[in-house]
Amino acid sequence: MTPPETLPSLTVRASSWAGLFDCAYRWEGIHLLKLRNVVGLRAALGTAIHAGTAVFDQSRLDGSGLTADDAAGAMVDTLRDPENEFDPARDDITMSEAERVGLALVSKYCTEVSPNYDFIAVEMETKPLDIDCGGGVVVRLTGTMDRARIRRLGKGVGIADLKSGSAAVQKGAAVTKGHGPQIGTYELLYEHTTGQPITDDAEIIGLKTKGTPEIATGTIRNGKRVMVGTDEHPGLIEFAAEMFKTGRFYPNPRSLLCSEKYCPRFSTCSFHD
Ligand code: SF4
């Protein structure tokens, strides 16, 4: 428990860790300076697919009996939500294509994938975890486990995280690269919230939204160790603490997200080409 004089200096959502180590300058723009990008339709499609799959899995847990058709309805409602704002210039997909892909993936997920899992929680709320990094810097890890489930396999308990995207599946397997810090944060938060250990590897369930809709899985080991480190090697939390202490957020013009489309700092950042 954190004493009152060490209130968190910084709150970091689990889902934003990967971005911090991709381009810290961009991360600072989004999370500290609150710059915003207009979301494209493909990103909204991802949100809609996750909404559909989540209502289905939650219904399996609480026995409310929702069907794959109900999940498809939730997906369409989220996709066509009038509050969504898109920038057509940024989209490489039309609304009818997005709906077709979303329906195919949600239906496939509900009938072929979800029944293989024994979930014990869906998008679980977690208790914030404060980590004292020294020098007066306290990092608070926080966040609902957006899009993630807790699964049981035999006696093991692990994270299963759904990731959608145009390249979420490659060569028949879910892409796991870059997801370790978020998964590690989820593992820390689960253990902190429940007092129970994570005892199994984590799994990414990838849903590919471009081309033929595909769903496949991939394994992530040692996500927690990536975050907290070992006796010999520091973890990412320690590196992040240095950035937070010094206020130095380094640019990375070689980031795959270094473009006007994905970086809200692009117009003022002088580090890119
Ligand atoms: S424009 Fe490129 S280098 Fe600059 S903040 Fe954005 S991603 Fe980083």
Side-chain angles (χ1 to χ4, degrees):
M1 178 124 169
T2 309
E5 64 272 18
T6 52
L7 287 173
S9 331
L10 257 150
T11 298
V12 186
R13 289 183 69 82
S15 53
S16 87
W17 278 98
L20 178 61
F21 292 98
D22 178 31
C23 176
Y25 201 59
R26 174 175 176 273
W27 186 94
E28 182 195 28
I30 295 172
H31 296 282
L32 302 186
L33 308 177
K34 307 290 180 198
L35 304 176
R36 284 283 167 270
N37 255 356
V38 177
V39 60
L41 182 51
R42 198 174 286 280
L45 169 61
T47 304
I49 290 169
H50 290 289
T53 58
V55 296
F56 185 78
D57 285 340
Q58 186 58 48
S59 163
R60 285 188 57 216
L61 272 184
D62 58 30
S64 59
L66 294 188
T67 63
D69 279 350
D70 296 322
M75 189 286 293
V76 173
D77 287 349
T78 310
L79 185 64
R80 294 191 173 270
D81 185 339
E83 302 248 310
N84 286 339
E85 279 181 31
F86 310 116
D87 178 353
R90 290 165 191 252
D91 285 334
D92 61 348
I93 187 169
T94 64
M95 179 58 90
S96 61
E97 281 168 352
E99 195 169 301
R100 182 182 56 77
V101 170
L103 287 172
L105 284 171
V106 169
S107 159
K108 196 173 174 60
Y109 177 82
C110 296
T111 54
E112 297 174 22
V113 179
S114 174
N116 299 327
Y117 287 87
D118 177 10
F119 293 130
I120 52 180
V122 176
E123 302 197 340
M124 191 176 142
E125 290 284 342
T126 57
K127 283 197 296 194
L129 171 60
D130 290 346
I131 298 173
D132 190 341
C133 301
V137 173
V138 176
V139 175
R140 170 167 286 186
L141 303 181
T142 186
T144 303
M145 290 198 196
D146 300 318
R147 305 180 175 185
R149 284 84 167 120
I150 311 297
R151 70 171 160 87
R152 187 168 27 215
L153 188 64
K155 287 192 176 153
V157 169
I159 307 282
D161 194 15
L162 269 66
K163 296 282 182 201
S164 62
S166 45
V169 174
Q170 284 180 5
K171 296 186 182 156
V175 172
T176 54
K177 200 171 158 81
H179 297 319
Q182 181 176 5
I183 295 295
T185 309
Y186 283 160
E187 291 176 344
L188 287 168
L189 289 171
Y190 176 82
E191 293 184 348
H192 173 63
T193 302
T194 63
Q196 304 292 320
I198 288 283
T199 48
D200 200 3
D201 292 337
E203 191 173 345
I204 299 289
I205 303 175
L207 301 99
K208 183 163 75 81
T209 59
K210 199 168 191 173
T212 310
E214 266 182 85
I215 304 179
T217 61
T219 302
I220 292 188
R221 297 189 176 87
N222 302 323
K224 195 171 80 174
R225 200 168 72 202
V226 168
M227 294 303 290
V228 298
T230 61
D231 288 345
E232 293 86 38
H233 302 288
L236 288 181
I237 291 171
E238 204 171 323
F239 285 110
E242 280 305 309
M243 280 194 254
F244 299 150
K245 272 191 249 182
T246 57
R248 284 177 186 269
F249 295 92
Y250 294 96
N252 175 17
R254 300 191 61 175
S255 161
L256 289 176
L257 301 179
C258 187
S259 73
E260 194 174 6
K261 186 169 171 182
Y262 298 114
C263 178
R265 208 166 191 180
F266 194 85
S267 61
T268 54
C269 171
S270 55
F271 300 107
H272 60 79
D273 298 335

